[in-house]
PDB file of all heavy atoms in Angstrom:
ATOM      1  N   ALA A  41     -13.016  -7.605 -10.689  1.00 83.00           N
ATOM      2  CA  ALA A  41     -14.230  -8.461 -10.554  1.00 83.00           C
ATOM      3  C   ALA A  41     -15.503  -7.677 -10.411  1.00 83.00           C
ATOM      4  O   ALA A  41     -16.548  -8.158 -10.729  1.00 83.00           O
ATOM      5  CB  ALA A  41     -14.002  -9.340  -9.387  1.00 83.00           C
ATOM      6  N   GLY A  42     -15.395  -6.421 -10.011  1.00 81.00           N
ATOM      7  CA  GLY A  42     -16.630  -5.700  -9.692  1.00 81.00           C
ATOM      8  C   GLY A  42     -17.068  -5.962  -8.288  1.00 81.00           C
ATOM      9  O   GLY A  42     -16.345  -6.466  -7.461  1.00 81.00           O
ATOM     10  N   THR A  43     -18.320  -5.686  -8.058  1.00 84.00           N
ATOM     11  CA  THR A  43     -18.954  -5.966  -6.714  1.00 84.00           C
ATOM     12  C   THR A  43     -20.132  -6.921  -6.845  1.00 84.00           C
ATOM     13  O   THR A  43     -20.554  -7.283  -7.978  1.00 84.00           O
ATOM     14  CB  THR A  43     -19.456  -4.625  -6.127  1.00 84.00           C
ATOM     15  OG1 THR A  43     -20.494  -4.121  -6.918  1.00 84.00           O
ATOM     16  CG2 THR A  43     -18.353  -3.664  -5.977  1.00 84.00           C
ATOM     17  N   LYS A  44     -20.615  -7.373  -5.774  1.00 89.00           N
ATOM     18  CA  LYS A  44     -21.775  -8.227  -5.742  1.00 89.00           C
ATOM     19  C   LYS A  44     -23.004  -7.546  -6.372  1.00 89.00           C
ATOM     20  O   LYS A  44     -23.690  -8.162  -7.183  1.00 89.00           O
ATOM     21  CB  LYS A  44     -22.164  -8.612  -4.297  1.00 89.00           C
ATOM     22  CG  LYS A  44     -23.273  -9.634  -4.177  1.00 89.00           C
ATOM     23  CD  LYS A  44     -23.774  -9.865  -2.739  1.00 89.00           C
ATOM     24  CE  LYS A  44     -22.904 -10.926  -2.151  1.00 89.00           C
ATOM     25  NZ  LYS A  44     -23.405 -11.318  -0.810  1.00 89.00           N
ATOM     26  N   GLU A  45     -23.155  -6.239  -6.110  1.00 92.00           N
ATOM     27  CA  GLU A  45     -24.209  -5.497  -6.714  1.00 92.00           C
ATOM     28  C   GLU A  45     -23.986  -5.156  -8.191  1.00 92.00           C
ATOM     29  O   GLU A  45     -24.924  -5.056  -8.968  1.00 92.00           O
ATOM     30  CB  GLU A  45     -24.427  -4.160  -5.973  1.00 92.00           C
ATOM     31  CG  GLU A  45     -24.845  -4.292  -4.512  1.00 92.00           C
ATOM     32  CD  GLU A  45     -23.621  -4.619  -3.598  1.00 92.00           C
ATOM     33  OE1 GLU A  45     -22.495  -4.261  -3.943  1.00 92.00           O
ATOM     34  OE2 GLU A  45     -23.850  -5.295  -2.606  1.00 92.00           O
ATOM     35  N   ARG A  46     -22.720  -4.984  -8.554  1.00 88.00           N
ATOM     36  CA  ARG A  46     -22.413  -4.614  -9.951  1.00 88.00           C
ATOM     37  C   ARG A  46     -21.181  -5.471 -10.443  1.00 88.00           C
ATOM     38  O   ARG A  46     -20.093  -5.008 -10.541  1.00 88.00           O
ATOM     39  CB  ARG A  46     -22.000  -3.141  -9.984  1.00 88.00           C
ATOM     40  CG  ARG A  46     -23.204  -2.218  -9.666  1.00 88.00           C
ATOM     41  CD  ARG A  46     -22.805  -0.780  -9.740  1.00 88.00           C
ATOM     42  NE  ARG A  46     -22.407  -0.541 -11.219  1.00 88.00           N
ATOM     43  CZ  ARG A  46     -21.880   0.614 -11.552  1.00 88.00           C
ATOM     44  NH1 ARG A  46     -21.570   1.551 -10.737  1.00 88.00           N
ATOM     45  NH2 ARG A  46     -21.574   0.861 -12.843  1.00 88.00           N
ATOM     46  N   PRO A  47     -21.457  -6.790 -10.691  1.00 87.00           N
ATOM     47  CA  PRO A  47     -20.387  -7.635 -11.166  1.00 87.00           C
ATOM     48  C   PRO A  47     -19.934  -7.199 -12.541  1.00 87.00           C
ATOM     49  O   PRO A  47     -20.631  -6.556 -13.293  1.00 87.00           O
ATOM     50  CB  PRO A  47     -21.041  -9.045 -11.249  1.00 87.00           C
ATOM     51  CG  PRO A  47     -22.489  -8.774 -11.285  1.00 87.00           C
ATOM     52  CD  PRO A  47     -22.737  -7.474 -10.648  1.00 87.00           C
ATOM     53  N   ASN A  48     -18.636  -7.420 -12.837  1.00 88.00           N
ATOM     54  CA  ASN A  48     -18.059  -7.039 -14.081  1.00 88.00           C
ATOM     55  C   ASN A  48     -18.108  -8.257 -15.039  1.00 88.00           C
ATOM     56  O   ASN A  48     -17.443  -9.218 -14.817  1.00 88.00           O
ATOM     57  CB  ASN A  48     -16.573  -6.615 -13.863  1.00 88.00           C
ATOM     58  CG  ASN A  48     -15.861  -6.321 -15.173  1.00 88.00           C
ATOM     59  OD1 ASN A  48     -16.425  -6.312 -16.245  1.00 88.00           O
ATOM     60  ND2 ASN A  48     -14.579  -6.063 -15.084  1.00 88.00           N
ATOM     61  N   PRO A  49     -18.914  -8.175 -16.129  1.00 90.00           N
ATOM     62  CA  PRO A  49     -19.038  -9.375 -17.026  1.00 90.00           C
ATOM     63  C   PRO A  49     -17.759  -9.641 -17.815  1.00 90.00           C
ATOM     64  O   PRO A  49     -17.615 -10.684 -18.406  1.00 90.00           O
ATOM     65  CB  PRO A  49     -20.193  -8.904 -17.948  1.00 90.00           C
ATOM     66  CG  PRO A  49     -20.178  -7.381 -17.946  1.00 90.00           C
ATOM     67  CD  PRO A  49     -19.742  -6.994 -16.552  1.00 90.00           C
ATOM     68  N   HIS A  50     -16.822  -8.728 -17.821  1.00 90.00           N
ATOM     69  CA  HIS A  50     -15.581  -8.864 -18.623  1.00 90.00           C
ATOM     70  C   HIS A  50     -14.478  -9.500 -17.762  1.00 90.00           C
ATOM     71  O   HIS A  50     -13.427  -9.811 -18.224  1.00 90.00           O
ATOM     72  CB  HIS A  50     -15.096  -7.546 -19.166  1.00 90.00           C
ATOM     73  CG  HIS A  50     -16.066  -6.852 -19.972  1.00 90.00           C
ATOM     74  ND1 HIS A  50     -16.456  -7.262 -21.260  1.00 90.00           N
ATOM     75  CD2 HIS A  50     -16.846  -5.771 -19.736  1.00 90.00           C
ATOM     76  CE1 HIS A  50     -17.373  -6.517 -21.747  1.00 90.00           C
ATOM     77  NE2 HIS A  50     -17.650  -5.601 -20.845  1.00 90.00           N
ATOM     78  N   HIS A  51     -14.703  -9.661 -16.454  1.00 89.00           N
ATOM     79  CA  HIS A  51     -13.676 -10.156 -15.580  1.00 89.00           C
ATOM     80  C   HIS A  51     -13.332 -11.625 -15.892  1.00 89.00           C
ATOM     81  O   HIS A  51     -14.195 -12.475 -16.187  1.00 89.00           O
ATOM     82  CB  HIS A  51     -14.197 -10.107 -14.130  1.00 89.00           C
ATOM     83  CG  HIS A  51     -13.286 -10.773 -13.124  1.00 89.00           C
ATOM     84  ND1 HIS A  51     -12.060 -10.350 -12.813  1.00 89.00           N
ATOM     85  CD2 HIS A  51     -13.497 -11.910 -12.336  1.00 89.00           C
ATOM     86  CE1 HIS A  51     -11.467 -11.128 -11.922  1.00 89.00           C
ATOM     87  NE2 HIS A  51     -12.369 -12.073 -11.611  1.00 89.00           N
ATOM     88  N   VAL A  52     -12.047 -11.901 -15.893  1.00 89.00           N
ATOM     89  CA  VAL A  52     -11.500 -13.187 -16.106  1.00 89.00           C
ATOM     90  C   VAL A  52     -10.748 -13.598 -14.831  1.00 89.00           C
ATOM     91  O   VAL A  52      -9.712 -13.019 -14.510  1.00 89.00           O
ATOM     92  CB  VAL A  52     -10.524 -13.266 -17.332  1.00 89.00           C
ATOM     93  CG1 VAL A  52      -9.949 -14.663 -17.481  1.00 89.00           C
ATOM     94  CG2 VAL A  52     -11.191 -12.810 -18.555  1.00 89.00           C
ATOM     95  N   PRO A  53     -11.306 -14.553 -14.067  1.00 89.00           N
ATOM     96  CA  PRO A  53     -10.571 -14.950 -12.828  1.00 89.00           C
ATOM     97  C   PRO A  53      -9.199 -15.484 -13.134  1.00 89.00           C
ATOM     98  O   PRO A  53      -9.017 -16.296 -14.024  1.00 89.00           O
ATOM     99  CB  PRO A  53     -11.461 -16.055 -12.207  1.00 89.00           C
ATOM    100  CG  PRO A  53     -12.838 -15.866 -12.812  1.00 89.00           C
ATOM    101  CD  PRO A  53     -12.530 -15.312 -14.197  1.00 89.00           C
ATOM    102  N   HIS A  54      -8.194 -14.954 -12.426  1.00 88.00           N
ATOM    103  CA  HIS A  54      -6.805 -15.417 -12.669  1.00 88.00           C
ATOM    104  C   HIS A  54      -5.939 -14.983 -11.457  1.00 88.00           C
ATOM    105  O   HIS A  54      -6.351 -14.179 -10.618  1.00 88.00           O
ATOM    106  CB  HIS A  54      -6.262 -14.783 -13.930  1.00 88.00           C
ATOM    107  CG  HIS A  54      -6.177 -13.282 -13.938  1.00 88.00           C
ATOM    108  ND1 HIS A  54      -7.314 -12.492 -14.041  1.00 88.00           N
ATOM    109  CD2 HIS A  54      -5.178 -12.437 -13.809  1.00 88.00           C
ATOM    110  CE1 HIS A  54      -6.961 -11.222 -14.036  1.00 88.00           C
ATOM    111  NE2 HIS A  54      -5.665 -11.154 -13.856  1.00 88.00           N
ATOM    112  N   ASP A  55      -4.805 -15.616 -11.404  1.00 86.00           N
ATOM    113  CA  ASP A  55      -3.803 -15.323 -10.381  1.00 86.00           C
ATOM    114  C   ASP A  55      -3.080 -14.080 -10.735  1.00 86.00           C
ATOM    115  O   ASP A  55      -2.411 -14.017 -11.787  1.00 86.00           O
ATOM    116  CB  ASP A  55      -2.886 -16.482 -10.205  1.00 86.00           C
ATOM    117  CG  ASP A  55      -1.807 -16.265  -9.176  1.00 86.00           C
ATOM    118  OD1 ASP A  55      -1.858 -15.275  -8.380  1.00 86.00           O
ATOM    119  OD2 ASP A  55      -0.881 -17.072  -9.096  1.00 86.00           O
ATOM    120  N   GLY A  56      -3.126 -13.039  -9.900  1.00 86.00           N
ATOM    121  CA  GLY A  56      -2.481 -11.764 -10.223  1.00 86.00           C
ATOM    122  C   GLY A  56      -0.980 -11.816 -10.252  1.00 86.00           C
ATOM    123  O   GLY A  56      -0.316 -10.955 -10.854  1.00 86.00           O
ATOM    124  N   HIS A  57      -0.361 -12.867  -9.653  1.00 87.00           N
ATOM    125  CA  HIS A  57       1.110 -12.910  -9.663  1.00 87.00           C
ATOM    126  C   HIS A  57       1.716 -12.991 -11.072  1.00 87.00           C
ATOM    127  O   HIS A  57       2.775 -12.507 -11.323  1.00 87.00           O
ATOM    128  CB  HIS A  57       1.581 -14.116  -8.854  1.00 87.00           C
ATOM    129  CG  HIS A  57       1.412 -13.922  -7.401  1.00 87.00           C
ATOM    130  ND1 HIS A  57       0.231 -14.244  -6.702  1.00 87.00           N
ATOM    131  CD2 HIS A  57       2.258 -13.426  -6.455  1.00 87.00           C
ATOM    132  CE1 HIS A  57       0.377 -13.902  -5.408  1.00 87.00           C
ATOM    133  NE2 HIS A  57       1.559 -13.464  -5.256  1.00 87.00           N
ATOM    134  N   GLY A  58       0.984 -13.639 -11.996  1.00 85.00           N
ATOM    135  CA  GLY A  58       1.506 -13.755 -13.331  1.00 85.00           C
ATOM    136  C   GLY A  58       0.802 -12.888 -14.366  1.00 85.00           C
ATOM    137  O   GLY A  58       0.898 -13.104 -15.558  1.00 85.00           O
ATOM    138  N   CYS A  59      -0.088 -11.972 -13.882  1.00 89.00           N
ATOM    139  CA  CYS A  59      -0.902 -11.247 -14.791  1.00 89.00           C
ATOM    140  C   CYS A  59      -0.061 -10.349 -15.763  1.00 89.00           C
ATOM    141  O   CYS A  59       0.879  -9.628 -15.307  1.00 89.00           O
ATOM    142  CB  CYS A  59      -1.897 -10.383 -13.974  1.00 89.00           C
ATOM    143  SG  CYS A  59      -3.021  -9.440 -15.041  1.00 89.00           S
ATOM    144  N   GLU A  60      -0.442 -10.348 -17.005  1.00 89.00           N
ATOM    145  CA  GLU A  60       0.237  -9.485 -17.995  1.00 89.00           C
ATOM    146  C   GLU A  60       0.121  -7.967 -17.700  1.00 89.00           C
ATOM    147  O   GLU A  60       0.967  -7.178 -18.128  1.00 89.00           O
ATOM    148  CB  GLU A  60      -0.315  -9.804 -19.370  1.00 89.00           C
ATOM    149  CG  GLU A  60      -1.770  -9.435 -19.520  1.00 89.00           C
ATOM    150  CD  GLU A  60      -2.408 -10.031 -20.752  1.00 89.00           C
ATOM    151  OE1 GLU A  60      -2.105 -11.116 -21.131  1.00 89.00           O
ATOM    152  OE2 GLU A  60      -3.204  -9.305 -21.346  1.00 89.00           O
ATOM    153  N   CYS A  61      -0.849  -7.591 -16.956  1.00 89.00           N
ATOM    154  CA  CYS A  61      -1.036  -6.186 -16.649  1.00 89.00           C
ATOM    155  C   CYS A  61       0.150  -5.582 -15.854  1.00 89.00           C
ATOM    156  O   CYS A  61       0.555  -4.452 -16.067  1.00 89.00           O
ATOM    157  CB  CYS A  61      -2.362  -5.953 -15.827  1.00 89.00           C
ATOM    158  SG  CYS A  61      -3.840  -6.264 -16.785  1.00 89.00           S
ATOM    159  N   ILE A  62       0.661  -6.383 -14.992  1.00 89.00           N
ATOM    160  CA  ILE A  62       1.818  -5.938 -14.174  1.00 89.00           C
ATOM    161  C   ILE A  62       3.030  -5.686 -15.063  1.00 89.00           C
ATOM    162  O   ILE A  62       3.653  -4.631 -14.945  1.00 89.00           O
ATOM    163  CB  ILE A  62       2.151  -6.899 -13.045  1.00 89.00           C
ATOM    164  CG1 ILE A  62       0.943  -6.983 -12.115  1.00 89.00           C
ATOM    165  CG2 ILE A  62       3.390  -6.550 -12.350  1.00 89.00           C
ATOM    166  CD1 ILE A  62       1.065  -8.093 -11.032  1.00 89.00           C
ATOM    167  N   ALA A  63       3.207  -6.576 -15.944  1.00 87.00           N
ATOM    168  CA  ALA A  63       4.385  -6.399 -16.899  1.00 87.00           C
ATOM    169  C   ALA A  63       4.313  -5.166 -17.769  1.00 87.00           C
ATOM    170  O   ALA A  63       5.346  -4.545 -18.155  1.00 87.00           O
ATOM    171  CB  ALA A  63       4.536  -7.647 -17.765  1.00 87.00           C
ATOM    172  N   VAL A  64       3.069  -4.761 -18.175  1.00 90.00           N
ATOM    173  CA  VAL A  64       2.936  -3.599 -19.014  1.00 90.00           C
ATOM    174  C   VAL A  64       2.635  -2.316 -18.211  1.00 90.00           C
ATOM    175  O   VAL A  64       2.442  -1.286 -18.765  1.00 90.00           O
ATOM    176  CB  VAL A  64       1.812  -3.811 -20.067  1.00 90.00           C
ATOM    177  CG1 VAL A  64       2.105  -4.977 -20.996  1.00 90.00           C
ATOM    178  CG2 VAL A  64       0.410  -4.035 -19.414  1.00 90.00           C
ATOM    179  N   GLY A  65       2.718  -2.404 -16.906  1.00 89.00           N
ATOM    180  CA  GLY A  65       2.701  -1.211 -16.061  1.00 89.00           C
ATOM    181  C   GLY A  65       1.300  -0.805 -15.504  1.00 89.00           C
ATOM    182  O   GLY A  65       1.186   0.275 -14.984  1.00 89.00           O
ATOM    183  N   ARG A  66       0.310  -1.659 -15.574  1.00 90.00           N
ATOM    184  CA  ARG A  66      -0.969  -1.297 -15.009  1.00 90.00           C
ATOM    185  C   ARG A  66      -0.969  -1.676 -13.495  1.00 90.00           C
ATOM    186  O   ARG A  66      -0.423  -2.698 -13.149  1.00 90.00           O
ATOM    187  CB  ARG A  66      -2.140  -2.048 -15.707  1.00 90.00           C
ATOM    188  CG  ARG A  66      -2.330  -1.584 -17.144  1.00 90.00           C
ATOM    189  CD  ARG A  66      -3.622  -2.227 -17.684  1.00 90.00           C
ATOM    190  NE  ARG A  66      -3.527  -2.359 -19.147  1.00 90.00           N
ATOM    191  CZ  ARG A  66      -3.390  -3.518 -19.813  1.00 90.00           C
ATOM    192  NH1 ARG A  66      -3.464  -4.647 -19.133  1.00 90.00           N
ATOM    193  NH2 ARG A  66      -3.249  -3.492 -21.113  1.00 90.00           N
ATOM    194  N   PRO A  67      -1.656  -0.836 -12.703  1.00 90.00           N
ATOM    195  CA  PRO A  67      -1.716  -1.099 -11.262  1.00 90.00           C
ATOM    196  C   PRO A  67      -2.860  -2.080 -10.827  1.00 90.00           C
ATOM    197  O   PRO A  67      -3.287  -2.025  -9.706  1.00 90.00           O
ATOM    198  CB  PRO A  67      -1.927   0.240 -10.648  1.00 90.00           C
ATOM    199  CG  PRO A  67      -2.714   0.957 -11.633  1.00 90.00           C
ATOM    200  CD  PRO A  67      -2.288   0.443 -13.032  1.00 90.00           C
ATOM    201  N   CYS A  68      -3.296  -2.912 -11.741  1.00 86.00           N
ATOM    202  CA  CYS A  68      -4.530  -3.736 -11.506  1.00 86.00           C
ATOM    203  C   CYS A  68      -4.495  -4.537 -10.177  1.00 86.00           C
ATOM    204  O   CYS A  68      -5.505  -4.804  -9.632  1.00 86.00           O
ATOM    205  CB  CYS A  68      -4.748  -4.643 -12.666  1.00 86.00           C
ATOM    206  SG  CYS A  68      -5.083  -3.745 -14.245  1.00 86.00           S
ATOM    207  N   HIS A  69      -3.368  -4.972  -9.756  1.00 89.00           N
ATOM    208  CA  HIS A  69      -3.296  -5.943  -8.635  1.00 89.00           C
ATOM    209  C   HIS A  69      -2.677  -5.325  -7.437  1.00 89.00           C
ATOM    210  O   HIS A  69      -2.113  -6.074  -6.566  1.00 89.00           O
ATOM    211  CB  HIS A  69      -2.593  -7.242  -9.098  1.00 89.00           C
ATOM    212  CG  HIS A  69      -3.327  -7.953 -10.135  1.00 89.00           C
ATOM    213  ND1 HIS A  69      -4.445  -8.721  -9.853  1.00 89.00           N
ATOM    214  CD2 HIS A  69      -3.195  -7.998 -11.523  1.00 89.00           C
ATOM    215  CE1 HIS A  69      -4.949  -9.212 -10.991  1.00 89.00           C
ATOM    216  NE2 HIS A  69      -4.198  -8.782 -11.992  1.00 89.00           N
ATOM    217  N   GLY A  70      -2.786  -4.022  -7.205  1.00 89.00           N
ATOM    218  CA  GLY A  70      -2.368  -3.398  -5.976  1.00 89.00           C
ATOM    219  C   GLY A  70      -0.942  -3.676  -5.560  1.00 89.00           C
ATOM    220  O   GLY A  70       0.004  -3.386  -6.296  1.00 89.00           O
ATOM    221  N   VAL A  71      -0.795  -4.335  -4.471  1.00 91.00           N
ATOM    222  CA  VAL A  71       0.539  -4.614  -3.926  1.00 91.00           C
ATOM    223  C   VAL A  71       1.403  -5.430  -4.844  1.00 91.00           C
ATOM    224  O   VAL A  71       2.662  -5.330  -4.851  1.00 91.00           O
ATOM    225  CB  VAL A  71       0.544  -5.256  -2.491  1.00 91.00           C
ATOM    226  CG1 VAL A  71      -0.108  -4.290  -1.491  1.00 91.00           C
ATOM    227  CG2 VAL A  71      -0.159  -6.560  -2.491  1.00 91.00           C
ATOM    228  N   LEU A  72       0.823  -6.291  -5.631  1.00 93.00           N
ATOM    229  CA  LEU A  72       1.577  -7.092  -6.588  1.00 93.00           C
ATOM    230  C   LEU A  72       2.174  -6.227  -7.678  1.00 93.00           C
ATOM    231  O   LEU A  72       3.216  -6.586  -8.302  1.00 93.00           O
ATOM    232  CB  LEU A  72       0.675  -8.162  -7.227  1.00 93.00           C
ATOM    233  CG  LEU A  72       0.101  -9.245  -6.330  1.00 93.00           C
ATOM    234  CD1 LEU A  72      -0.741 -10.207  -7.075  1.00 93.00           C
ATOM    235  CD2 LEU A  72       1.220  -9.943  -5.540  1.00 93.00           C
TER     236      LEU A  72
END
Side-chain angles (χ1 to χ4, degrees):
T43 64
K44 185 186 271 188
E45 298 80 28
R46 295 182 64 191
N48 176 5
H50 305 287
H51 173 65
V52 177
H54 62 285
D55 178 9
H57 287 88
C59 182
E60 63 193 40
C61 291
I62 294 171
V64 298
R66 292 189 208 112
C68 297
H69 295 282
V71 298
L72 297 179

